[in-house]
Amino acid sequence: MSESRQLPLTMPPRTALGASDFAMTPANADAVAMLSAPGRWPRGRLALVGPPGAGKTHLVRMLFAEGDAHLIEPADVIAHAPPAHARHALVILECAERVAGNHAAESALFHLYNLLGEQGGRLLLTAQQTPAQWPLALPELASRLATVGVVRIDPDEGLVVAVMLKAAEDRGIDLAPDAITYLMTRIERDLGSVHALIAALDAKATGRKRRHVTKRLAGECLRELYLSGETADEPGHAADAQE
């Protein structure tokens, strides 16, 4: 069971999450603006919503690495008394939709929500879906969360490219410009798929004892990942033979 922890957050050792590592795009501009102005959050509550890999954790760390911010996960809501969390000016609950269906977690979040309101604290939830979409069993909690403001990160092409470059940099691989162009015309605009692709490219580059990913190497990797023909690239395409 995880333990609650005070920011700064503990992250994978090779993941760079500083302000200089964050790629601002139109897809996340509204989220940055809203999180940067807690006074605009309806009743001091906000849900940051976006798909896995969209940069929610990065954005939270960048904006709240300093100050009286307290990061918890759904398991922490049950493991620790809500009054302990509510002593902080800001409580951040990541993967918050995971409380849904767990009576103890839902009840604890309900009490934490109320305590923060009584003490003037703020609550930030990160999730893949809006609170209205969570299958909550506790009507009182559903009623409270219905008033939470929502800001979204909806991936666009710019964010997909930024995530691809960031994931590659974290893994220490260099993507050739034509490899990026090649991949962007063939991959799904799904950030989870992008991270999986970069992991596969890293493994292939490591196997070749190289850190520079060419267009040819990218094509080989895609063919191995999508042998079923889900990708648009052709195994015999002439462009794939050139680096």
Side-chain angles (χ1 to χ4, degrees), residues 46-106:
L46 186 70
L48 173 61
V49 177
K56 299 187 296 294
T57 292
H58 192 164
L59 181 54
V60 165
R61 170 167 181 152
M62 181 182 72
L63 295 178
F64 303 113
E66 298 180 1
D68 190 16
H70 187 59
L71 178 71
I72 59 175
E73 298 175 356
D76 303 319
V77 177
I78 305 173
H80 302 275
H85 300 315
R87 288 198 296 265
H88 300 272
L90 168 64
V91 176
I92 303 168
L93 176 60
E94 288 213 297
C95 304
E97 68 266 54
R98 294 180 185 173
V99 304
N102 184 314
H103 178 76
E106 288 192 26

Side-chain angles (χ1 to χ4, degrees), residues 56-211:
K56 299 187 296 294
T57 292
H58 192 164
L59 181 54
V60 165
R61 170 167 181 152
M62 181 182 72
L63 295 178
F64 303 113
E66 298 180 1
D68 190 16
H70 187 59
L71 178 71
I72 59 175
E73 298 175 356
D76 303 319
V77 177
I78 305 173
H80 302 275
H85 300 315
R87 288 198 296 265
H88 300 272
L90 168 64
V91 176
I92 303 168
L93 176 60
E94 288 213 297
C95 304
E97 68 266 54
R98 294 180 185 173
V99 304
N102 184 314
H103 178 76
E106 288 192 26
S107 179
L109 179 56
F110 173 73
H111 290 301
L112 175 60
Y113 183 104
N114 290 337
L115 281 168
L116 285 170
E118 294 170 4
Q119 298 178 19
R122 301 184 190 280
L123 177 65
L124 174 60
L125 309 171
T126 72
Q128 295 182 38
Q129 297 180 313
T130 65
Q133 296 174 291
W134 304 352
L136 296 167
L138 189 63
E140 295 86 352
L141 178 61
S143 176
R144 295 292 192 280
L145 295 186
T147 66
V148 169
V150 175
V151 63
R152 301 174 183 270
I153 298 178
D154 292 316
D156 58 9
E157 183 171 303
L159 183 60
V160 172
V161 172
V163 168
M164 181 185 296
L165 292 174
K166 175 67 169 57
E169 181 181 356
D170 285 341
R171 289 178 174 271
I173 58 177
D174 173 46
L175 297 178
D178 60 349
I180 297 171
T181 301
Y182 175 87
L183 292 171
M184 286 301 297
T185 61
R186 288 162 171 80
I187 64 173
E188 299 176 2
R189 299 302 192 265
D190 173 76
L191 298 180
S193 297
V194 171
H195 282 280
L197 171 62
I198 296 300
L201 286 172
D202 182 19
K204 181 168 283 292
T206 299
R208 300 283 181 86
K209 300 185 186 306
R210 59 198 294 187
R211 305 313 294 162

